[in-house]
Amino acid sequence: MTHAMVKGSNIPLEAGSVRTVLSWSPGAEVPDIDASALLLGEDGRVRSDADFVFYNQPTHPCGLVRHRAKRQDEDGLTDGIEVDLAPMEPAVRRIVLAASADGGTFEAVHDLRLMVYDAAAGEGAEPVAVFDVRPDTGEETALICGELYRRDEGWKFRALGQGYASGLLGLATEFGIVVEDDEGEAEAAPGGPDGLTVPDTPAPQAPQAPPAPASPPPASVPVPPAPQPDAAATVAPPPTVPPSYGYPPPPPAAAPAQPATGYGYPPHPAYGYPQQAPPPAITLPPQGPQFQRRR
């Protein structure tokens, strides 16, 4: 059974894999239409630029979301996205299904329709849902046609039809995609029909070898430490000689003569021999005033 969707309506999906197809009527003044998908996390934004699947990045790294090649059949031109819902990682909460116009606005696009198929039913099967997409103003260059989103343990499809006048670039940056040109600005760079590319991840740089250590300075000849004085040794100060203040120093006093001894007996007279005269008394020169006692 095919469900005819209106803007804002939703239906549950029983299929484990779906094929979403955009179709429109070609013409001389009709811009080229491209289908794309954005895998969103819990915060409603992509986790990295790899979550954007479009003509320049046709397959998600997980392999579960794939861009289909453009085709022309009896109903017109088609472009689409295939999604394997059952094995999708839990971190992906929504998958936005978008369309962008290259070379004009959606006002010139006729019979724009989004169809959702059960991928396991084959090419000739009837679609599960059909949504005729009509832009609000006609000035849009990008449209969110619908979305696949988790509900409890399953998936659902919702018809949207939300438009952007900034093209695929504005749509991508709205959900966190970083698109840079050669000058590093967030705008389209040459590459696709409307110039949009996702910047390549810079290749990791090989670790550089550390610089060779400088040659060590020449070894110096060790100098023995100067001998330290022995703390236990003492040096006797030189004898202090008091100044004579201009006077000659006194001669050293002669040692007194020692009387002859009688081995313990007192001296006795020399029995008629003359006795030796006593030595003369020593007279010291007068002392300076600094040595005189003051009265």
Side-chain angles (χ1 to χ4, degrees):
M1 177 182 177
T2 300
H3 295 270
M5 310 292 294
V6 296
K7 190 173 184 176
S9 62
N10 63 81
I11 60 169
L13 296 173
E14 298 178 358
S17 298
V18 296
R19 183 176 70 256
T20 64
V21 179
L22 275 173
S23 68
W24 67 96
S25 298
E29 303 295 330
V30 178
D32 192 21
I33 305 301
D34 297 291
S36 58
L38 297 105
L39 286 68
L40 310 182
E42 190 69 41
D43 59 353
R45 297 172 67 84
V46 297
R47 298 162 298 172
S48 71
D49 291 347
D51 285 341
F52 185 26
V53 177
F54 67 119
Y55 47 77
N56 274 339
Q57 189 167 264
T59 304
H60 191 270
C62 69
L64 302 179
V65 182
R66 301 169 295 276
H67 178 262
R68 289 171 54 91
K70 235 183 219 83
R71 297 174 55 185
Q72 185 168 6
D73 56 23
E74 57 185 16
D75 295 327
L77 289 173
T78 64
D79 195 13
I81 300 289
E82 289 184 349
V83 182
D84 297 332
L85 296 174
M88 186 65 62
E89 53 186 317
V92 177
R93 310 304 299 176
R94 297 165 53 202
I95 300 175
V96 170
L97 306 171
S100 58
D102 179 40
T105 66
F106 277 99
E107 184 178 12
V109 180
H110 303 288
D111 304 322
L112 183 63
R113 172 177 289 186
L114 176 64
M115 295 169 285
V116 181
Y117 294 87
D118 183 349
E123 291 288 341
E126 292 294 323
V128 175
V130 174
F131 174 45
D132 291 329
V133 186
R134 296 182 176 88
D136 292 329
T137 66
E139 298 300 320
E140 298 88 347
T141 53
L143 288 170
I144 297 178
C145 300
E147 66 176 0
L148 307 169
Y149 64 98
R150 291 184 185 271
R151 178 55 55 91
D152 299 330
E153 299 299 323
W155 288 84
K156 301 184 76 173
F157 167 73
R158 178 184 288 122
L160 291 176
Q162 178 182 349
Y164 293 82
S166 52
L168 187 58
L169 173 64
L171 173 66
T173 55
E174 179 76 16
F175 292 101
I177 294 294
V178 178
V179 182
E180 298 178 352
D181 62 5
D182 293 339
E183 297 179 357
E185 299 179 355
E187 60 183 33
D194 58 359
L196 184 67
T197 57
V198 175
D200 295 331
T201 303
Q205 300 293 329
Q208 298 181 355
S215 57
S220 58
V221 179
V223 179
Q228 300 294 327
D230 189 359
T234 57
V235 179
T240 303
V241 179
S244 59
Y245 295 95
Y247 296 96
Q258 296 294 332
T261 59
Y263 300 99
Y265 294 94
H268 52 81
Y271 298 101
Y273 293 95
Q275 300 292 323
Q276 294 181 353
I282 299 173
T283 303
L284 296 176
Q287 295 179 341
Q290 68 274 22
F291 295 104
Q292 297 179 1
R293 185 182 299 273
R294 296 181 184 274
R295 295 183 182 273

